[in-house]
Amino acid sequence: MKILIIEDEPELRNVLQQSLEKELFIVETAKDYKSGLDKIISFDYDCILLDIMLPDGSGMDLLKDLKKEGKSDSVIIVSAKGSLDDKVAGLDLGADDYLSKPFHLAELHARIKSVLRRNNHNGQQLLQWNNVSLSPENRTVLVNSQSLSLNKKEFDLLYYFMINPNRLITKISIAEHVWGDYTDEADNLDFVYSQVKNLRKKLKNVNAEINIQAVYGMGYKMS
Ligand code: CA
């Protein structure tokens, strides 16, 4: 389970990170709006702890950005602004929970677990292949129950392979499914090759039992 902490106060950020790592979460951090935005666009998290007052923007806008990207990462707003208005606005924008500073770490842990439990119980369909499971809705991949971090394209690529197992998939159809309109402008399909290479490497590093085989001159086959 992967958690992103977006918080500008270094001391609080470190305390949160250490306490969550002790709970065996994989924890990443961002210290401002801009780096938070980079992270939420490039990766998927099981839960995001979101501060509202950031030096270069508002956490509320980050929440809007997240929803605009069509992401379903769970969000808990962790804010010093304890006003009811903020809480209502945050929940309206799709946050899963709201916690006012200061709070006890035990309280935060309980809230995180409750949010994760709730979102995993929403009866979503999981794609499974050997020791790999992929949730299209959460955009998460688990290998042997460990979260695997993929960027957007790698995820889309793996998703496409997993719904087409044991079938030859041409580079063109991969490009069209994963890159969409951009494909028309590309001179060649080398970007497919390099993205497949990255994905394979990430899968291999965690001993995923997925084999993506190149079929020379044609495309790829997953088995
Ligand atoms: Ca702050």
Side-chain angles (χ1 to χ4, degrees), residues 28 36 39 48 57 94 98 110 113 165 176 208 222:
E28 293 185 8
K39 292 236 171 207
I48 298 172
Y98 184 100
K113 280 170 190 164
E176 282 172 0
M222 186 209 98

Side-chain angles (χ1 to χ4, degrees), residues 7-9 51 53-54 101:
E7 169 63 64
D8 59 314
E9 291 163 49
D51 182 25
M53 307 252 281
L54 296 167
K101 291 178 194 168

Side-chain angles (χ1 to χ4, degrees), residues 4-169:
L4 174 65
I5 301 168
I6 305 178
E7 169 63 64
D8 59 314
E9 291 163 49
E11 209 171 307
L12 178 58
R13 197 169 61 234
N14 289 338
V15 168
L16 291 177
Q17 176 166 18
Q18 283 166 18
S19 82
L20 291 171
E21 280 174 347
K22 256 183 229 154
E23 299 285 304
L24 300 180
F25 290 110
I26 298 163
V27 182
E28 293 185 8
T29 62
K31 61 176 171 36
D32 52 24
Y33 180 94
K34 197 189 162 296
S35 55
L37 184 62
D38 284 349
K39 292 236 171 207
I40 63 175
I41 286 178
S42 312
F43 304 103
D44 294 308
Y45 298 92
D46 297 294
C47 186
I48 298 172
L49 302 183
L50 180 62
D51 182 25
I52 294 299
M53 307 252 281
L54 296 167
D56 55 343
S58 159
M60 291 291 184
D61 289 329
L62 270 181
L63 187 53
K64 285 183 203 159
D65 294 332
L66 184 78
K67 298 298 165 184
K68 218 173 2 182
E69 289 286 312
K71 297 265 197 158
S72 55
D73 311 33
S74 299
V75 175
I76 299 177
I77 293 176
V78 176
S79 176
K81 283 174 111 188
S83 83
L84 188 63
D85 281 354
D86 254 17
K87 181 174 178 176
V88 170
L91 296 176
D92 268 357
L93 285 174
D96 296 82
D97 206 347
Y98 184 100
L99 198 55
S100 302
K101 291 178 194 168
F103 51 83
H104 288 288
L105 289 172
E107 169 82 17
L108 176 69
H109 295 169
R111 300 281 190 103
I112 290 174
K113 280 170 190 164
S114 144
V115 160
L116 293 176
R117 209 163 33 233
R118 211 184 311 153
N119 289 359
N120 282 336
H121 272 263
N122 278 348
Q124 304 153 5
Q125 149 212 15
L126 278 182
L127 290 170
Q128 187 82 37
W129 190 262
N130 295 326
N131 62 352
V132 180
S133 65
L134 177 149
S135 162
E137 202 163 336
N138 281 341
R139 298 186 63 84
T140 50
V141 178
L142 299 178
V143 179
N144 286 326
S145 308
Q146 293 262 14
S147 171
L148 173 64
S149 159
L150 298 178
N151 70 31
K152 185 174 183 308
K153 295 300 178 203
E154 290 161 354
F155 179 89
D156 291 343
L157 195 54
L158 181 61
Y159 185 18
Y160 192 49
F161 278 125
M162 284 183 75
I163 53 177
N164 290 289
N166 291 319
R167 270 165 59 183
L168 171 66
I169 309 175

Side-chain angles (χ1 to χ4, degrees), residues 153 157 174-183 191-192 195-196:
K153 295 300 178 203
L157 195 54
I174 292 174
E176 282 172 0
H177 271 86
V178 179
W179 280 266
D181 293 343
Y182 170 74
T183 310
F191 57 94
V192 173
Q195 206 67 252
V196 169

